[in-house]
Every structure is written in C-alpha cells, then in structure tokens.
Amino acid sequence: MSKIISGFSKLSKEEKIDWLAENYFNSQPEIIQTIKQYWNVDEKLQQLHDDFIENTISNFYMPYGIAPNFLINGREYVVPMVVEESSVVAAASKVAKYWSTRGGFKTEVISTTKIGQVHFIYAGAKADLEDYFQKNITELHAATASITKNMEKRGGGILDIQLVDKTEKLADYYQLHVTFETKDSMGANFINSCLEAIAKKFQNDEIEIIMSILSNYVPECLVRAEVSCPIEKLGGENPEKFAYKFEQAVKIAEIEPYRAVTHNKGIMNGIDAVVLATGNDFRAIESGAHAYAARNGEYTSLTHCEVKDGIFKFWIEIPLALGTVGGLTALHPMAKLSLDMMQKPSARTLMQIIAAAGLAQNFAALRALTTKGIQHGHMKMHLMNILNQHHATPTEKDEVIAYFENRTVSHSAVVEKLNSLRKPTVNWVDYSNEEEVRNKLQLLTNDSKPSFGNMNAQQMIEHLSEITKIPNGNWKIDVFVDEEKAARRKPFLKTDNEIQIGFKASFLSENPVPLQFSSIHEAIEDLIKQIRLFKEVFEKNPSRIVTHPFFGDLDYNLWKKFQVKHFTHHFKQFGLA
C-alpha cells in the first residue's frame, strides 16, 4: 500500500502524528509519546514554535550553554552557544578567560555590504544592453523606493547597481550586481524584494529574467578579530616552543586543504553555536565562510598567526552577514534572550562577538593539538557522556575518571570498568532460564538439607510453583492488602536487597504443606510449566495487574522482580545460588 499522501499540510498536528506512527512506526505508542513529550507545556509558546516552519509535529531540543569571560574591545561579555558537540562551550570559556588576562580580543568591522543579483539572458549586442542599462539605472533605483524607504531612514539601502558580463562562461548570460547595506537586519527579505522590483523594471522583450536572489557569499561584509601578547606571557613550560608549533599548525592549514577543512570546521563550531543561539541563519554563514576560504582558488585557513619580534599574534577575517532585528531574532524567545544577554548588540557588534567566539574555538583546538592532543579534552567529555548514559553514581564517576586518567577511553572499556564496580553482591537467579533452573534443581535429592527453614527440597520446588500460580491466575488467594502498607512494601522490589532469612508471609501455612507430586522430577517439570505460563499470560495482556498477598497490586515488571528475589531466596536455602 502506497504511503504517498495528499493534503498532509491540512491535517491537524495530532492527525499528522497518527499518520506518521501508523505508516512508519507500526503505531507504536512509545513513538507518539516520545514526539509529544517534547511539546512545550505552554500552548501559546508551542504554537509560536509550530508556526516557524511547516508540518510541525514536535520540537527538537539542542543544548543551550553560555561561555563567560569574553573581553572584547575592553567590554566584558557572556556568549550564548547552541551546540550538540561536547567540549565546544568548555573550550570557548577556557580560552576567553585565558585571553581576558592578556588584553582580550580586539575586533573591528571592515565592511558590512551585502550582494544580490538579477540573473538574465540577453542575445543582442552588448553595446545596446549597456546603453539600455545606463538610460534606466535611475528608474531601477526608483522602482525600489517604496521598499527602501524605511531602510534608508536607518542609513541603509541600495549602494550600487552594476551590469556584469558573464558571457565568456555562459552564452548570453549577464547579471545586475546590486550592493546593499541592511544595517542591523540580516536583510534577506529586503534584498530579495528589491531585486524582484529591479528585475521587473529592467526586463523587456529582449531580456529574459532567469532569477533574482541574494547571495550568501558576502566578502564585503567582513569582520576581523585578533589576540596578541608577548610570547613569554603565553605561559606554560616552554612558551617559545608553543608559539612556534602553534604558528606552524596555522601555516599548515593555510597550504593544505585537507587540514584546512577540519581547521575551519573547528572555527565554525564556535561561530555556528552563537549564530544558532541568536536566531540567525547558520547555513548562510557556513556557505559564505567556506566560499571566502576558497576565494583565491584554493581552500585555505580562515585564521592566521604571526610570531615576530617577541610578539604572538593570532587573528581571523571572516564574512558574517548577521541580523539583530527582524526574522527569528524577533520571534524566538531564546534568540531575544541571547541578544539581551550580550547587552543588545547591533549587527556590527554581534559580528565582532561571533568572530571572537570562532577565534577562541580555533585557539583552543590548536593549543590542544600542539600540546596534549585533541583527544585529551574530547575523551574527558566522551567519558562523562558514557558514564551519564549508564547512570553512573557520583562515586562510580570518581573511580572511573581516576582509572582512565592515563588510559585510552573507549565505550567498551568504560562499560567493562563500570560493570566491574557493579559486580552484584547477590548471585541473582534467572528464573526465566529454564535450562539453568532445571539443571540446578536436578542437583537436589530427598536427602538435601536446607540451610534455613523447615521445607525439604521437593516442598521448596512445589512452593515456588504455588506462588507462581498467583500471577498466572491458578491460585486465588482472598487476602486484602492495605494500600498504605503496599505503598511502603513495593519499593523493596526495586532494590538490590534480598528477602531476609526467616521472613514468613502471613497467608502461608506455618508448616510445610503436603507434597503434590510423587517425585522431585515431576515437581521440577510443574515449576517449569508454571514459569512458561507466567510469561504467556502477561504477553497476552501486558497491562495485566495481579494482587500479591504481601506487596499488593503488581504489574508484570514488578512480578518479575519479585520472582527473581523469591527464586534466589529459596535457591540459596539449598545452596544452589
């Protein structure tokens, strides 16, 4: 049956989720639960998020962290970062503090102009096109007057329109290359609206407009961030050697594209995290930055380093087309909070903050690479992630971290170490393992003596069968369990504690009951039968609740926990566990 659907966007959110669960998850209830548990409890806030994009069914959370101690142009900042990769925020914070005692970051905006283009095809004489363009350039500006009016009040607008000949690369292909200043707005909608108005005015019978669109390549929307200090103030055991290795690492990234890509990815770890936190377009920033890195025909580093006359200098120049008004920055509460956190920066100031974050991230990576190695910090975070994933206690964390101080961290090695710390003090019996249960019980004879209690071996086996009949529905016991008492008793089933020797349930006879079977072998087979039935009745009805005479109402999971404790108790009674 086809899963192609028409009118999906018109379905309610609940209907979209039901369709998805039915067609791609076999209507698993846990899938629907997972989707819904990420909804915001505030319905108005959730509706706001739903309206950001199309076909919304839930939210996808990303960690939101902050990196304090950034000193930029003499002003202190705390920088918000949204990122899923461990070590990024920690590295930015550590480097920010490091440079705060060495003069901080010095930043400047070099230029802020952005580009948009009208792409068109023209097969006539180039001179005629140039004449047509010159005669109509004033009209092209006038065509956008209603759009640029408010932007011009803020000091922005269209700066220039040029006719560009691209016919050498593509037959009959020309473009109108338009330069914009959009001030504190990223300006995508503004630029595209202007371009469409220009295109409409410019087209004629001989000019075929192909498309009108802004460019995310913004080499003239450029910002620079720098740190510097005397070499001896770099600190460490040998600052001269560190400075030398650091400079060489940057130079390698300048000439080796394979290294440069990873080098720049580290820069973007810091940049993208702040771009996301402020509701800006990280995809546009990414594409523009990487295009800029390849502007001279070969992909190279976005950062540069110079060690000269006893001074260490490290800097970045990067295009960043950002906005602090309009778009998601004006709608997303966390984006607005991020901007407030950074003291409500202008777009120019935000460019400088983000450039500093990228430079800090790159410094952290290169320092790690040229000293302890990049994995040292990553593995610390990786180790903590594994420990958290396996719900390690604070004591376990301390022991495992100390153990791996000088050892290689891997998932399997950490789990193995955790398991060694968690070796159970009790050798719990797996009652569901028929072969194990049968093999152990077959060791018993009529002469087997218990270490406690009055039952003989066969009576013990038949007792396990009888108690298993309760959840199976084969033994109805008319016992009332007070809810308050049951609430106090049930938590015991979730602990690692054993049933105490000498414990006697009130519903049981004081003395062992008469035997039902003629041999231990028959008793064992009946117990195996009851164990199988126990599993079957709950598989048929997973929501089945059966009252335990001592613990009260139990579901399948709690009955299984009881069975483990009960079997272990009686197996230990005869030295089988």
Side-chain angles (χ1 to χ4, degrees):
M1 184 176 178
S2 175
K3 295 177 182 178
I4 302 299
I5 180 173
S6 298
F8 182 76
S9 63
K10 296 181 175 60
L11 299 179
S12 68
K13 187 159 67 172
E14 291 276 4
E15 289 170 336
K16 289 185 179 79
I17 293 170
D18 289 342
W19 177 87
L20 179 68
E22 180 182 351
N23 284 276
Y24 289 92
F25 292 104
N26 297 320
S27 298
Q28 299 171 52
E30 61 269 25
I31 296 299
I32 297 176
Q33 181 184 355
T34 298
I35 291 171
K36 291 186 175 182
Q37 73 183 9
Y38 283 94
W39 288 2
N40 199 294
V41 293
D42 185 326
E43 291 185 6
K44 288 185 178 179
L45 186 58
Q46 182 57 56
Q47 187 61 53
L48 176 67
H49 284 272
D50 288 349
D51 291 341
F52 286 158
I53 62 170
E54 306 77 31
N55 295 340
T56 309
I57 61 172
S58 192
N59 306 308
F60 187 93
Y61 293 164
M62 292 273 280
Y64 181 102
I66 58 171
N69 302 318
F70 271 88
L71 182 64
I72 303 173
N73 295 338
R75 190 173 186 179
E76 295 170 346
Y77 291 92
V78 59
V79 178
M81 306 182 82
V82 174
V83 64
E84 89 297 342
E85 184 175 331
S86 60
S87 301
V88 170
V89 179
S93 303
K94 192 172 182 178
V95 169
K97 187 175 182 181
Y98 174 90
W99 282 107
S100 70
T101 62
R102 294 166 173 82
F105 295 84
K106 303 297 189 293
T107 62
E108 64 171 324
V109 174
I110 297 172
S111 58
T112 58
T113 58
K114 303 179 179 77
I115 300 299
Q117 295 165 319
V118 177
H119 304 271
F120 65 93
I121 299 297
Y122 172 75
K126 180 180 177 181
D128 293 341
L129 179 63
E130 289 175 337
D131 183 59
Y132 175 75
F133 170 71
Q134 291 298 329
K135 287 180 179 179
N136 285 277
I137 191 167
T138 302
E139 294 299 320
L140 297 182
H141 281 278
T144 66
S146 62
I147 304 170
T148 60
K149 182 178 179 181
N150 289 331
M151 183 67 73
E152 288 172 352
K153 288 179 180 178
R154 302 200 300 270
I158 296 174
L159 303 181
D160 188 30
I161 305 176
Q162 294 181 1
L163 175 65
V164 179
D165 182 354
K166 290 282 185 174
T167 55
E168 286 187 4
K169 294 186 177 182
L170 180 63
D172 303 330
Y173 168 44
Y174 294 84
Q175 60 182 232
L176 296 180
H177 190 84
V178 189
T179 307
F180 295 86
E181 170 61 64
T182 61
K183 306 305 286 184
D184 287 338
S185 169
M186 193 279 171
N189 289 331
F190 168 76
I191 291 173
N192 287 334
S193 295
C194 287
L195 293 172
E196 289 180 1
I198 290 171
K200 187 176 181 180
K201 185 66 178 177
F202 190 66
Q203 69 181 353
N204 60 27
D205 292 341
E206 296 182 76
I207 294 173
E208 182 179 0
I209 303 296
I210 302 300
M211 56 185 170
S212 307
I213 185 70
L214 65 77
S215 172
N216 289 127
Y217 182 43
V218 284
E220 298 304 321
C221 189
L222 202 62
V223 60
R224 177 188 173 100
E226 177 184 305
V227 289
S228 65
C229 71
I231 293 174
E232 64 268 18
K233 289 190 176 182
L234 288 171
E237 295 179 1
N238 191 334
E240 290 81 9
K241 183 176 181 180
F242 167 73
Y244 169 76
K245 290 184 68 176
F246 192 101
E247 182 184 27
Q248 293 306 307
V250 176
K251 290 185 180 300
I252 289 169
E254 289 176 339
I255 65 166
E256 173 49 66
Y258 281 91
R259 170 63 198 137
V261 170
T262 308
H263 178 95
N264 289 344
K265 185 268 181 186
I267 295 170
M268 302 313 292
N269 277 346
I271 288 176
D272 285 350
V274 191
V275 172
L276 272 170
T278 56
N280 275 279
D281 187 348
F282 77 93
R283 296 161 305 277
I285 297 299
E286 277 274 354
S287 59
H290 294 303
Y292 188 76
R295 66 191 181 281
N296 294 322
E298 184 171 283
Y299 191 87
T300 186
S301 169
L302 289 165
T303 56
H304 308 280
C305 182
E306 180 183 80
V307 179
K308 186 177 179 181
D309 299 329
I311 301 296
F312 171 91
K313 185 167 70 172
F314 181 50
W315 72 96
I316 185 173
E317 285 189 7
I318 187 169
L320 294 174
L322 301 166
T324 57
V325 298
L328 205 60
T329 59
L331 292 174
H332 200 299
M334 291 301 291
K336 289 191 284 186
L337 184 148
S338 295
L339 294 172
D340 288 346
M341 184 188 302
M342 291 184 288
Q343 304 162 66
K344 298 182 178 180
S346 65
R348 292 174 65 92
T349 301
L350 183 60
M351 288 170 68
Q352 295 171 75
I353 293 171
I354 292 179
L359 188 66
Q361 204 67 44
N362 195 218
F363 182 86
L366 292 174
R367 182 170 62 174
L369 280 167
T370 55
T371 54
K372 293 182 178 180
I374 197 68
Q375 288 303 91
H376 182 78
H378 279 306
M379 286 300 103
K380 277 189 175 180
M381 294 300 298
H382 182 50
L383 175 57
M384 287 304 300
N385 288 340
I386 298 171
L387 292 173
N388 289 329
Q389 179 184 344
H390 289 273
H391 309 291
T393 65
T395 300
E396 288 173 337
K397 286 179 180 178
D398 290 342
E399 290 195 43
V400 175
I401 290 171
Y403 177 80
F404 281 101
E405 184 63 32
N406 296 307
R407 291 179 171 88
T408 301
V409 174
S410 70
H411 190 277
S412 59
V414 175
V415 171
E416 183 179 349
K417 180 60 179 175
L418 262 181
N419 288 339
S420 72
L421 297 176
R422 294 172 172 179
K423 281 184 177 177
T425 55
V426 180
N427 188 18
W428 297 107
V429 173
D430 181 4
Y431 71 91
S432 64
N433 188 328
E434 294 182 16
E435 183 178 359
E436 181 182 342
V437 170
R438 181 182 282 108
N439 289 342
K440 287 190 174 185
L441 292 178
Q442 284 176 347
L443 298 174
L444 299 175
T445 68
N446 292 328
D447 296 326
S448 298
K449 301 297 182 184
S451 59
F452 58 84
N454 300 322
M455 289 189 287
N456 63 33
Q458 185 170 335
Q459 287 169 333
M460 180 273 288
I461 297 169
E462 292 185 5
H463 167 73
L464 290 174
S465 290
E466 289 301 302
I467 298 302
T468 304
K469 287 178 181 178
I470 297 174
N472 293 353
N474 298 333
W475 185 18
K476 305 290 184 182
I477 299 182
D478 188 15
V479 176
F480 173 74
V481 184
D482 181 80
E483 287 187 10
E484 186 177 341
K485 289 182 179 179
R488 289 200 308 268
R489 294 169 177 171
K490 280 182 188 178
F492 165 78
L493 297 175
K494 297 180 181 180
T495 70
D496 291 329
N497 300 329
E498 298 180 78
I499 296 174
Q500 293 182 355
I501 295 174
F503 172 79
K504 190 81 172 181
S506 59
F507 69 94
L508 296 175
S509 171
E510 285 294 325
N511 298 308
V513 298
L515 295 174
Q516 297 182 48
F517 299 95
S518 59
S519 68
I520 287 179
H521 173 74
E522 290 182 19
I524 292 172
E525 292 309 311
D526 180 66
L527 176 57
I528 297 299
K529 174 184 174 183
Q530 296 304 327
I531 291 171
R532 290 174 182 169
L533 183 59
F534 174 74
K535 183 179 180 181
E536 290 172 3
V537 295
F538 280 102
E539 283 183 345
K540 289 179 181 177
N541 183 7
S543 60
R544 177 183 175 86
I545 302 291
V546 182
T547 303
H548 186 284
F550 182 79
F551 293 104
D553 292 346
L554 304 182
D555 61 12
Y556 186 31
N557 284 330
L558 288 178
W559 267 108
K560 286 191 292 184
K561 293 181 184 296
F562 166 75
Q563 291 282 61
V564 169
K565 291 181 183 291
H566 194 222
F567 272 68
T568 301
H569 177 73
H570 287 292
F571 273 46
K572 289 185 74 170
Q573 183 182 13
F574 284 88
L576 302 177

